[in-house]
Amino acid sequence: MQLIEQIEVGSVYMFEIKKGLPLLGCRLIDKWAYFGIYATVCHEMVLKIYQYVYEDKPLIEVVLNRQNYSTGDIFHIAISGIEEGYAYTWQTIDEKGEKSMPLIDPYARSLSAFPKGSNHYKNLVLRDNLYEGVHPNIPWEETIIYEMHVGAFTKSPTSGLELKERGTYEGILKKLPYLKSLGVTTLELLPVFKWNKHTLANKHPITQETLQDEWGYNTIAFFALQEVYATNKNALEEVKAFRNFVKTVHENGMEVILDVVYNHTGEGGQDGTTFNFKALAPDTYYKKQGNHYRNDAGTGNTINNMHIVTKQLILDSLYYWVICMGVDGFRFDLASILAQNQDGNWYEGSLLEDIASDPVLSHVKLIAECWDAKGAYDVGRMPYPFAEWSDIYRDTMRRFVRGDKGMTSAVARCLLGNEIQFKDIRKDKNHTIQFITAHDGFTMWDLVSYSHKHNTLNGEDNRDGSNNNYSDNYGEEGETHNVKVLEQRKRRIKNFFTLLLLSQGVPMILMGDEIGRTQRGNNNAFCQDNEISWMDWELVEKNKDLLDFVKNMIGFRKESLCFKKANGHELKITFHGVNYNEPDWAYHSCSLAEQIEVKEEILYVVMNNYTELLKFEIPKSLKGWELIIDTSKEESFTKSSIRRTDTHYLMNPFTVCVFKLLKK
């Protein structure tokens, strides 16, 4: 039986304490709050309890020594009378008696800056509750992902929302009718975990203000949310806002996927800020190379995914977001790192394999970015059932639509959804995430408006961001009023969307591409919290023709049998050229035709990315063909009732057409 002591605080509070159990984090069980933290490099730990988060003086302060209050390297204690909403901090004490700064509990469910506006935090006591909403469980073959930044989606005044709603979960909920009408099924949120925004030394070249990380890829807590995305920014309100967000999205028939960063943290390298991991157990949480932190993520440190404590931390975090918060899956940033050993090489028995074989996690949507910052490239290597980002698709389609030669065979593989050669034979086209643009790089409008990046406002003299964009401005660099240039740009965008949504993999659309969102040529807008990165809602009307086209394309994909589960019906795809049954795979070929057949439905997709008119032979049919799409026309999505009984169709340059066999 554990020895129970009593602590009297004034004449009002009476607390009992005991050693408790080696449970990590803070758990409310019956009348007890069990606190536990893993630490290897300290002599003692100090736990301070606050009734209110913004109090200076703690209600309780307990020093935990290794003899009486630890089991191995876990310091732990149980205290009665602690309620949800209380705050607490941990501090290490070394052998000289020196205390560290107050530390973030790696298992904290919520954090609050103290003092307000600072980069220091108190941990909040929160009871875990099971998420009881209904998941849509959308099959992969019916999934259309919409990658979005929570803040940038509605932060612009053009969103028409109240000021307090802009840039929040509540703001997205107000725009759910827009997202539903667009037709996307799955919202993939850029990082929402608590992150260190103050990692940059770069100055804005005009204002000279120090820039901040606005994307969230410098996580400092794997269970806690960034409160900036909640309308009410008081303690614990961000948790309520997120749970309500997920529940409401589910009620509207859509899913929520989180972009998660478990490959590094926002503590940086040797000289970076300390929040918790460095002070508690640096050799456990980080990979070392000699006396220095490995830097496989390009941010100063690399998570030690081989250590059982770190592995368990990440698995526990994933469980929390699925079981308690209701999310439907994860996209793993720089996932290759999670499968690498201490030397940065791929190894068997990795954290990725643990996730892939987990009885719960293996049943949510798992997506991997299959590379790291040091040059590892593992596309096709991720364990089943991970889906994988296809940079092969991205680069192939960009080059083909631009008019590059030598692309037709690669395009055919992309259309089939088999451009990735998976090592696990259980994987198929539904494990390929296909995209033209993502948060990292040009928007689609900028892809057809800029021949090179324009990142000077990032404060790095335009050195940051990729130089390999496969973009073109089609006559003028940047924004223009030239009608011919604008027509060429919109046609290319329609070509991109047509090919993406008629490919056999899982399509992902970048926020705002459907309305021509621009970042003014900035292809690395991670530090821009302004009009550069914000969604401009005035474009909904300005580019209504483009938006309507994308809506129609998504609707067409959903209705077609050619992109659904086969259910015993054979999917037959054949390729052709200008002449039927004569595909031209030669280097100089810039044209391709594809016939897709399922049951009685037949589509004929024709692509002319040549500089001149081309006459394509159309398969003979007694019933005739209906022209569905011609991207060279102002009304590109025609749903024309005109029967094409002719044997040929004359196509404009840089155009995609889609024909559907008439049933009557």
Side-chain angles (χ1 to χ4, degrees), residues 62-115:
V62 186
V63 176
L64 283 66
N65 57 44
R66 288 190 177 273
Q67 181 178 357
N68 298 317
Y69 287 100
S70 76
T71 301
D73 284 322
I74 298 179
F75 289 86
H76 54 92
I77 190 172
I79 305 176
S80 69
I82 304 301
E83 299 177 3
E84 190 171 75
Y86 278 47
Y88 65 99
T89 60
W90 288 101
Q91 290 173 272
T92 61
I93 303 178
D94 63 20
E95 293 185 349
K96 297 179 181 178
E98 295 183 1
K99 293 181 181 179
S100 70
M101 60 174 283
L103 302 173
I104 292 173
D105 177 357
Y107 277 79
R109 272 37 174 179
S110 178
L111 301 174
S112 189
F114 183 82

Short mmCIF file of all heavy atoms in Angstrom, two decimals, residues 62-115:
data_model
loop_
_atom_site.label_atom_id
_atom_site.label_comp_id
_atom_site.label_asym_id
_atom_site.label_seq_id
_atom_site.Cartn_x
_atom_site.Cartn_y
_atom_site.Cartn_z
N VAL A 62 6.17 20.43 -5.58
CA VAL A 62 6.70 19.19 -5.03
C VAL A 62 8.02 18.87 -5.72
O VAL A 62 8.12 18.94 -6.94
CB VAL A 62 5.73 18.01 -5.23
CG1 VAL A 62 6.24 16.76 -4.52
CG2 VAL A 62 4.34 18.37 -4.75
N VAL A 63 9.02 18.53 -4.94
CA VAL A 63 10.30 18.07 -5.48
C VAL A 63 10.28 16.55 -5.50
O VAL A 63 10.06 15.91 -4.46
CB VAL A 63 11.48 18.59 -4.65
CG1 VAL A 63 12.79 18.01 -5.19
CG2 VAL A 63 11.52 20.11 -4.66
N LEU A 64 10.52 15.95 -6.66
CA LEU A 64 10.51 14.51 -6.82
C LEU A 64 11.94 14.02 -6.96
O LEU A 64 12.64 14.39 -7.91
CB LEU A 64 9.71 14.09 -8.06
CG LEU A 64 8.17 14.12 -7.97
CD1 LEU A 64 7.66 15.54 -7.82
CD2 LEU A 64 7.56 13.46 -9.20
N ASN A 65 12.38 13.23 -5.99
CA ASN A 65 13.72 12.64 -6.11
C ASN A 65 13.60 11.23 -6.69
O ASN A 65 12.54 10.62 -6.72
CB ASN A 65 14.45 12.62 -4.76
CG ASN A 65 13.65 11.87 -3.70
OD1 ASN A 65 13.12 10.80 -3.95
ND2 ASN A 65 13.59 12.44 -2.49
N ARG A 66 14.73 10.70 -7.11
CA ARG A 66 14.71 9.39 -7.76
C ARG A 66 14.43 8.27 -6.77
O ARG A 66 13.85 7.24 -7.14
CB ARG A 66 16.04 9.15 -8.48
CG ARG A 66 16.21 10.00 -9.75
CD ARG A 66 17.41 9.57 -10.57
NE ARG A 66 17.49 10.35 -11.81
CZ ARG A 66 16.88 10.04 -12.94
NH1 ARG A 66 16.12 8.96 -12.99
NH2 ARG A 66 17.01 10.80 -14.02
N GLN A 67 14.79 8.45 -5.53
CA GLN A 67 14.62 7.38 -4.55
C GLN A 67 13.15 7.15 -4.22
O GLN A 67 12.69 6.00 -4.15
CB GLN A 67 15.39 7.71 -3.26
CG GLN A 67 15.27 6.62 -2.20
CD GLN A 67 16.08 6.94 -0.96
OE1 GLN A 67 16.79 7.95 -0.90
NE2 GLN A 67 15.99 6.08 0.05
N ASN A 68 12.38 8.22 -4.04
CA ASN A 68 11.00 8.08 -3.57
C ASN A 68 9.93 8.28 -4.63
O ASN A 68 8.79 7.84 -4.46
CB ASN A 68 10.75 9.07 -2.43
CG ASN A 68 11.64 8.81 -1.23
OD1 ASN A 68 11.83 7.67 -0.82
ND2 ASN A 68 12.22 9.89 -0.68
N TYR A 69 10.29 8.97 -5.72
CA TYR A 69 9.26 9.34 -6.69
C TYR A 69 9.65 9.01 -8.13
O TYR A 69 9.40 9.78 -9.05
CB TYR A 69 8.92 10.83 -6.57
CG TYR A 69 8.12 11.16 -5.34
CD1 TYR A 69 8.74 11.70 -4.21
CD2 TYR A 69 6.75 10.91 -5.29
CE1 TYR A 69 8.01 11.99 -3.07
CE2 TYR A 69 6.01 11.20 -4.16
CZ TYR A 69 6.64 11.73 -3.05
OH TYR A 69 5.90 12.01 -1.92
N SER A 70 10.29 7.88 -8.34
CA SER A 70 10.57 7.46 -9.71
C SER A 70 10.56 5.94 -9.79
O SER A 70 10.77 5.24 -8.81
CB SER A 70 11.93 7.99 -10.19
OG SER A 70 12.99 7.26 -9.62
N THR A 71 10.25 5.47 -10.97
CA THR A 71 10.43 4.07 -11.32
C THR A 71 11.29 4.07 -12.57
O THR A 71 10.85 4.50 -13.64
CB THR A 71 9.07 3.39 -11.61
OG1 THR A 71 8.24 3.49 -10.46
CG2 THR A 71 9.28 1.92 -11.95
N GLY A 72 12.53 3.65 -12.41
CA GLY A 72 13.47 3.77 -13.52
C GLY A 72 13.67 5.23 -13.87
O GLY A 72 13.97 6.06 -13.00
N ASP A 73 13.45 5.57 -15.13
CA ASP A 73 13.63 6.95 -15.57
C ASP A 73 12.31 7.71 -15.69
O ASP A 73 12.25 8.77 -16.32
CB ASP A 73 14.35 6.97 -16.93
CG ASP A 73 15.84 6.68 -16.79
OD1 ASP A 73 16.43 7.15 -15.80
OD2 ASP A 73 16.39 5.99 -17.67
N ILE A 74 11.27 7.19 -15.07
CA ILE A 74 10.00 7.91 -15.06
C ILE A 74 9.75 8.46 -13.66
O ILE A 74 9.63 7.70 -12.69
CB ILE A 74 8.82 7.01 -15.48
CG1 ILE A 74 9.02 6.51 -16.91
CG2 ILE A 74 7.50 7.78 -15.37
CD1 ILE A 74 7.93 5.59 -17.40
N PHE A 75 9.74 9.78 -13.54
CA PHE A 75 9.35 10.44 -12.29
C PHE A 75 7.83 10.49 -12.27
O PHE A 75 7.19 10.85 -13.27
CB PHE A 75 9.90 11.86 -12.23
CG PHE A 75 11.40 11.92 -12.04
CD1 PHE A 75 12.26 11.86 -13.13
CD2 PHE A 75 11.94 12.04 -10.77
CE1 PHE A 75 13.63 11.92 -12.95
CE2 PHE A 75 13.32 12.11 -10.58
CZ PHE A 75 14.17 12.04 -11.68
N HIS A 76 7.22 10.15 -11.13
CA HIS A 76 5.76 10.15 -11.10
C HIS A 76 5.23 10.39 -9.70
O HIS A 76 5.90 10.12 -8.69
CB HIS A 76 5.21 8.84 -11.66
CG HIS A 76 5.75 7.60 -11.01
ND1 HIS A 76 5.13 6.99 -9.95
CD2 HIS A 76 6.85 6.85 -11.30
CE1 HIS A 76 5.81 5.90 -9.61
NE2 HIS A 76 6.87 5.80 -10.40
N ILE A 77 4.02 10.92 -9.66
CA ILE A 77 3.37 11.26 -8.40
C ILE A 77 1.86 11.32 -8.65
O ILE A 77 1.43 11.59 -9.79
CB ILE A 77 3.88 12.62 -7.86
CG1 ILE A 77 3.38 12.87 -6.44
CG2 ILE A 77 3.49 13.76 -8.80
CD1 ILE A 77 4.03 14.09 -5.79
N ALA A 78 1.07 11.06 -7.64
CA ALA A 78 -0.38 11.21 -7.71
C ALA A 78 -0.82 12.23 -6.67
O ALA A 78 -0.36 12.19 -5.52
CB ALA A 78 -1.07 9.87 -7.48
N ILE A 79 -1.69 13.13 -7.06
CA ILE A 79 -2.17 14.19 -6.17
C ILE A 79 -3.69 14.22 -6.24
O ILE A 79 -4.28 14.22 -7.33
CB ILE A 79 -1.59 15.56 -6.57
CG1 ILE A 79 -0.06 15.51 -6.62
CG2 ILE A 79 -2.07 16.65 -5.62
CD1 ILE A 79 0.59 16.80 -7.10
N SER A 80 -4.33 14.26 -5.10
CA SER A 80 -5.79 14.29 -5.07
C SER A 80 -6.29 15.72 -5.23
O SER A 80 -5.58 16.69 -4.93
CB SER A 80 -6.31 13.72 -3.74
OG SER A 80 -5.99 14.61 -2.68
N GLY A 81 -7.54 15.85 -5.69
CA GLY A 81 -8.19 17.15 -5.72
C GLY A 81 -7.84 18.02 -6.90
O GLY A 81 -8.29 19.17 -6.98
N ILE A 82 -7.04 17.53 -7.85
CA ILE A 82 -6.69 18.31 -9.04
C ILE A 82 -7.80 18.14 -10.08
O ILE A 82 -8.24 17.03 -10.36
CB ILE A 82 -5.35 17.83 -9.63
CG1 ILE A 82 -4.25 17.91 -8.56
CG2 ILE A 82 -4.98 18.66 -10.86
CD1 ILE A 82 -4.02 19.28 -8.00
N GLU A 83 -8.23 19.23 -10.66
CA GLU A 83 -9.36 19.18 -11.58
C GLU A 83 -8.96 19.61 -12.98
O GLU A 83 -7.90 20.23 -13.19
CB GLU A 83 -10.48 20.10 -11.06
CG GLU A 83 -11.02 19.71 -9.70
CD GLU A 83 -12.07 20.67 -9.19
OE1 GLU A 83 -12.41 21.61 -9.95
OE2 GLU A 83 -12.53 20.51 -8.06
N GLU A 84 -9.81 19.26 -13.93
CA GLU A 84 -9.59 19.68 -15.31
C GLU A 84 -9.53 21.20 -15.37
O GLU A 84 -10.34 21.89 -14.75
CB GLU A 84 -10.74 19.16 -16.19
CG GLU A 84 -10.49 19.34 -17.67
CD GLU A 84 -11.54 18.62 -18.52
OE1 GLU A 84 -12.67 19.14 -18.60
OE2 GLU A 84 -11.24 17.55 -19.07
N GLY A 85 -8.56 21.71 -16.11
CA GLY A 85 -8.38 23.15 -16.21
C GLY A 85 -7.23 23.68 -15.37
O GLY A 85 -6.76 24.80 -15.59
N TYR A 86 -6.78 22.89 -14.38
CA TYR A 86 -5.58 23.27 -13.64
C TYR A 86 -4.38 23.26 -14.59
O TYR A 86 -4.41 22.59 -15.63
CB TYR A 86 -5.31 22.29 -12.49
CG TYR A 86 -6.12 22.53 -11.22
CD1 TYR A 86 -7.49 22.77 -11.25
CD2 TYR A 86 -5.49 22.50 -9.98
CE1 TYR A 86 -8.22 22.98 -10.10
CE2 TYR A 86 -6.22 22.70 -8.80
CZ TYR A 86 -7.59 22.94 -8.87
OH TYR A 86 -8.30 23.13 -7.72
N ALA A 87 -3.34 23.97 -14.20
CA ALA A 87 -2.12 24.02 -15.01
C ALA A 87 -0.95 23.46 -14.21
O ALA A 87 -0.99 23.43 -12.97
CB ALA A 87 -1.83 25.44 -15.45
N TYR A 88 0.07 23.03 -14.92
CA TYR A 88 1.25 22.50 -14.23
C TYR A 88 2.50 22.69 -15.10
O TYR A 88 2.41 22.84 -16.32
CB TYR A 88 1.08 21.03 -13.86
CG TYR A 88 0.98 20.07 -15.03
CD1 TYR A 88 2.09 19.34 -15.47
CD2 TYR A 88 -0.23 19.88 -15.71
CE1 TYR A 88 1.98 18.44 -16.54
CE2 TYR A 88 -0.34 19.00 -16.77
CZ TYR A 88 0.77 18.28 -17.18
OH TYR A 88 0.68 17.41 -18.23
N THR A 89 3.64 22.70 -14.43
CA THR A 89 4.93 22.74 -15.13
C THR A 89 5.88 21.74 -14.49
O THR A 89 5.74 21.38 -13.31
CB THR A 89 5.59 24.13 -15.07
OG1 THR A 89 5.83 24.48 -13.69
CG2 THR A 89 4.72 25.19 -15.73
N TRP A 90 6.83 21.28 -15.28
CA TRP A 90 7.94 20.46 -14.79
C TRP A 90 9.23 21.26 -14.93
O TRP A 90 9.38 22.04 -15.87
CB TRP A 90 8.07 19.18 -15.59
CG TRP A 90 7.02 18.13 -15.38
CD1 TRP A 90 5.94 17.86 -16.17
CD2 TRP A 90 6.97 17.18 -14.31
NE1 TRP A 90 5.21 16.82 -15.68
CE2 TRP A 90 5.83 16.38 -14.53
CE3 TRP A 90 7.76 16.93 -13.18
CZ2 TRP A 90 5.46 15.33 -13.68
CZ3 TRP A 90 7.41 15.90 -12.34
CH2 TRP A 90 6.26 15.11 -12.58
N GLN A 91 10.16 21.03 -14.02
CA GLN A 91 11.51 21.58 -14.14
C GLN A 91 12.51 20.51 -13.71
O GLN A 91 12.24 19.74 -12.78
CB GLN A 91 11.69 22.83 -13.25
CG GLN A 91 10.92 24.04 -13.72
CD GLN A 91 11.00 25.18 -12.72
OE1 GLN A 91 10.18 25.26 -11.80
NE2 GLN A 91 11.97 26.06 -12.89
N THR A 92 13.62 20.46 -14.40
CA THR A 92 14.69 19.55 -13.98
C THR A 92 15.58 20.25 -12.96
O THR A 92 15.71 21.49 -12.95
CB THR A 92 15.56 19.12 -15.17
OG1 THR A 92 16.18 20.28 -15.75
CG2 THR A 92 14.73 18.40 -16.23
N ILE A 93 16.20 19.45 -12.08
CA ILE A 93 17.21 19.93 -11.14
C ILE A 93 18.45 19.07 -11.33
O ILE A 93 18.37 17.83 -11.26
CB ILE A 93 16.74 19.82 -9.67
CG1 ILE A 93 15.43 20.61 -9.46
CG2 ILE A 93 17.82 20.34 -8.72
CD1 ILE A 93 14.89 20.50 -8.05
N ASP A 94 19.58 19.71 -11.59
CA ASP A 94 20.80 18.93 -11.77
C ASP A 94 21.49 18.69 -10.43
O ASP A 94 20.98 19.10 -9.37
CB ASP A 94 21.74 19.60 -12.77
CG ASP A 94 22.23 20.97 -12.32
OD1 ASP A 94 22.18 21.27 -11.10
OD2 ASP A 94 22.68 21.75 -13.18
N GLU A 95 22.63 18.03 -10.44
CA GLU A 95 23.33 17.68 -9.20
C GLU A 95 23.84 18.90 -8.45
O GLU A 95 24.12 18.84 -7.25
CB GLU A 95 24.48 16.73 -9.51
CG GLU A 95 23.99 15.36 -10.00
CD GLU A 95 25.13 14.39 -10.20
OE1 GLU A 95 26.29 14.84 -10.17
OE2 GLU A 95 24.86 13.19 -10.40
N LYS A 96 23.94 20.04 -9.12
CA LYS A 96 24.36 21.28 -8.47
C LYS A 96 23.17 22.04 -7.89
O LYS A 96 23.34 23.10 -7.29
CB LYS A 96 25.09 22.18 -9.47
CG LYS A 96 26.39 21.57 -10.01
CD LYS A 96 27.03 22.52 -11.01
CE LYS A 96 28.31 21.92 -11.59
NZ LYS A 96 28.92 22.83 -12.61
N GLY A 97 21.97 21.51 -8.10
CA GLY A 97 20.78 22.17 -7.58
C GLY A 97 20.20 23.22 -8.49
O GLY A 97 19.27 23.94 -8.09
N GLU A 98 20.70 23.32 -9.70
CA GLU A 98 20.20 24.34 -10.63
C GLU A 98 18.98 23.83 -11.37
O GLU A 98 18.94 22.70 -11.86
CB GLU A 98 21.30 24.73 -11.63
CG GLU A 98 22.50 25.40 -10.96
CD GLU A 98 23.54 25.84 -11.97
OE1 GLU A 98 23.32 25.63 -13.18
OE2 GLU A 98 24.58 26.39 -11.55
N LYS A 99 17.97 24.72 -11.47
CA LYS A 99 16.72 24.36 -12.11
C LYS A 99 16.70 24.81 -13.58
O LYS A 99 17.28 25.83 -13.94
CB LYS A 99 15.54 25.02 -11.40
CG LYS A 99 15.28 24.52 -9.99
CD LYS A 99 14.06 25.22 -9.41
CE LYS A 99 13.79 24.77 -7.97
NZ LYS A 99 12.63 25.49 -7.39
N SER A 100 16.02 24.03 -14.37
CA SER A 100 15.79 24.43 -15.77
C SER A 100 14.62 25.40 -15.84
O SER A 100 13.95 25.67 -14.85
CB SER A 100 15.46 23.19 -16.61
OG SER A 100 14.16 22.70 -16.27
N MET A 101 14.38 25.90 -17.01
CA MET A 101 13.17 26.67 -17.26
C MET A 101 11.97 25.73 -17.15
O MET A 101 12.12 24.51 -17.23
CB MET A 101 13.21 27.27 -18.67
CG MET A 101 13.31 26.21 -19.77
SD MET A 101 13.20 26.86 -21.44
CE MET A 101 11.45 27.16 -21.54
N PRO A 102 10.75 26.24 -16.95
CA PRO A 102 9.56 25.37 -16.96
C PRO A 102 9.43 24.66 -18.30
O PRO A 102 9.60 25.27 -19.36
CB PRO A 102 8.41 26.35 -16.74
CG PRO A 102 9.04 27.52 -16.04
CD PRO A 102 10.42 27.63 -16.60
N LEU A 103 9.15 23.38 -18.27
CA LEU A 103 9.18 22.54 -19.46
C LEU A 103 7.79 22.10 -19.90
O LEU A 103 6.89 21.92 -19.08
CB LEU A 103 10.04 21.30 -19.21
CG LEU A 103 11.49 21.55 -18.79
CD1 LEU A 103 12.16 20.24 -18.41
CD2 LEU A 103 12.26 22.25 -19.91
N ILE A 104 7.66 21.87 -21.20
CA ILE A 104 6.45 21.28 -21.75
C ILE A 104 6.46 19.78 -21.44
O ILE A 104 7.46 19.10 -21.66
CB ILE A 104 6.38 21.49 -23.27
CG1 ILE A 104 6.18 22.97 -23.60
CG2 ILE A 104 5.28 20.66 -23.90
CD1 ILE A 104 6.26 23.29 -25.08
N ASP A 105 5.36 19.29 -20.93
CA ASP A 105 5.18 17.85 -20.76
C ASP A 105 4.98 17.26 -22.16
O ASP A 105 4.05 17.65 -22.87
CB ASP A 105 3.96 17.59 -19.89
CG ASP A 105 3.64 16.11 -19.71
OD1 ASP A 105 4.33 15.27 -20.32
OD2 ASP A 105 2.68 15.82 -18.97
N PRO A 106 5.83 16.32 -22.61
CA PRO A 106 5.66 15.74 -23.95
C PRO A 106 4.28 15.14 -24.18
O PRO A 106 3.85 15.01 -25.32
CB PRO A 106 6.75 14.67 -24.01
CG PRO A 106 7.81 15.15 -23.07
CD PRO A 106 7.05 15.81 -21.95
N TYR A 107 3.58 14.78 -23.09
CA TYR A 107 2.24 14.19 -23.22
C TYR A 107 1.12 15.19 -22.91
O TYR A 107 -0.04 14.79 -22.81
CB TYR A 107 2.11 12.98 -22.31
CG TYR A 107 2.67 11.71 -22.91
CD1 TYR A 107 4.04 11.45 -22.91
CD2 TYR A 107 1.83 10.76 -23.49
CE1 TYR A 107 4.55 10.29 -23.45
CE2 TYR A 107 2.32 9.59 -24.04
CZ TYR A 107 3.69 9.35 -24.03
OH TYR A 107 4.20 8.20 -24.58
N ALA A 108 1.44 16.47 -22.78
CA ALA A 108 0.42 17.46 -22.44
C ALA A 108 -0.63 17.56 -23.53
O ALA A 108 -0.31 17.65 -24.72
CB ALA A 108 1.07 18.82 -22.22
N ARG A 109 -1.92 17.57 -23.14
CA ARG A 109 -3.02 17.66 -24.09
C ARG A 109 -3.32 19.09 -24.51
O ARG A 109 -3.99 19.32 -25.50
CB ARG A 109 -4.28 17.06 -23.47
CG ARG A 109 -4.53 15.59 -23.63
CD ARG A 109 -3.36 14.67 -23.56
NE ARG A 109 -3.78 13.27 -23.59
CZ ARG A 109 -2.95 12.25 -23.56
NH1 ARG A 109 -1.64 12.45 -23.50
NH2 ARG A 109 -3.41 11.01 -23.59
N SER A 110 -2.84 20.04 -23.74
CA SER A 110 -3.09 21.44 -24.07
C SER A 110 -2.00 22.29 -23.44
O SER A 110 -1.50 21.96 -22.36
CB SER A 110 -4.46 21.88 -23.56
OG SER A 110 -4.70 23.25 -23.83
N LEU A 111 -1.63 23.37 -24.12
CA LEU A 111 -0.60 24.29 -23.63
C LEU A 111 -1.14 25.71 -23.67
O LEU A 111 -1.96 26.05 -24.52
CB LEU A 111 0.67 24.21 -24.49
CG LEU A 111 1.36 22.86 -24.60
CD1 LEU A 111 2.50 22.95 -25.61
CD2 LEU A 111 1.89 22.41 -23.25
N SER A 112 -0.65 26.52 -22.76
CA SER A 112 -1.03 27.92 -22.76
C SER A 112 0.22 28.76 -22.50
O SER A 112 0.98 28.47 -21.57
CB SER A 112 -2.08 28.20 -21.69
OG SER A 112 -2.60 29.49 -21.82
N ALA A 113 0.44 29.76 -23.34
CA ALA A 113 1.63 30.59 -23.20
C ALA A 113 1.59 31.36 -21.89
O ALA A 113 0.56 31.92 -21.51
CB ALA A 113 1.72 31.57 -24.37
N PHE A 114 2.71 31.36 -21.19
CA PHE A 114 2.81 32.12 -19.94
C PHE A 114 4.22 32.69 -19.81
O PHE A 114 5.20 31.94 -19.81
CB PHE A 114 2.51 31.23 -18.73
CG PHE A 114 2.52 31.98 -17.43
CD1 PHE A 114 1.41 32.71 -17.03
CD2 PHE A 114 3.65 32.00 -16.63
CE1 PHE A 114 1.42 33.43 -15.85
CE2 PHE A 114 3.67 32.72 -15.44
CZ PHE A 114 2.55 33.43 -15.05
N PRO A 115 4.37 34.00 -19.75
CA PRO A 115 3.31 35.01 -19.85
C PRO A 115 2.65 35.00 -21.25
O PRO A 115 3.20 34.45 -22.18
CB PRO A 115 4.05 36.33 -19.62
CG PRO A 115 5.37 35.96 -19.04
CD PRO A 115 5.70 34.60 -19.54
#
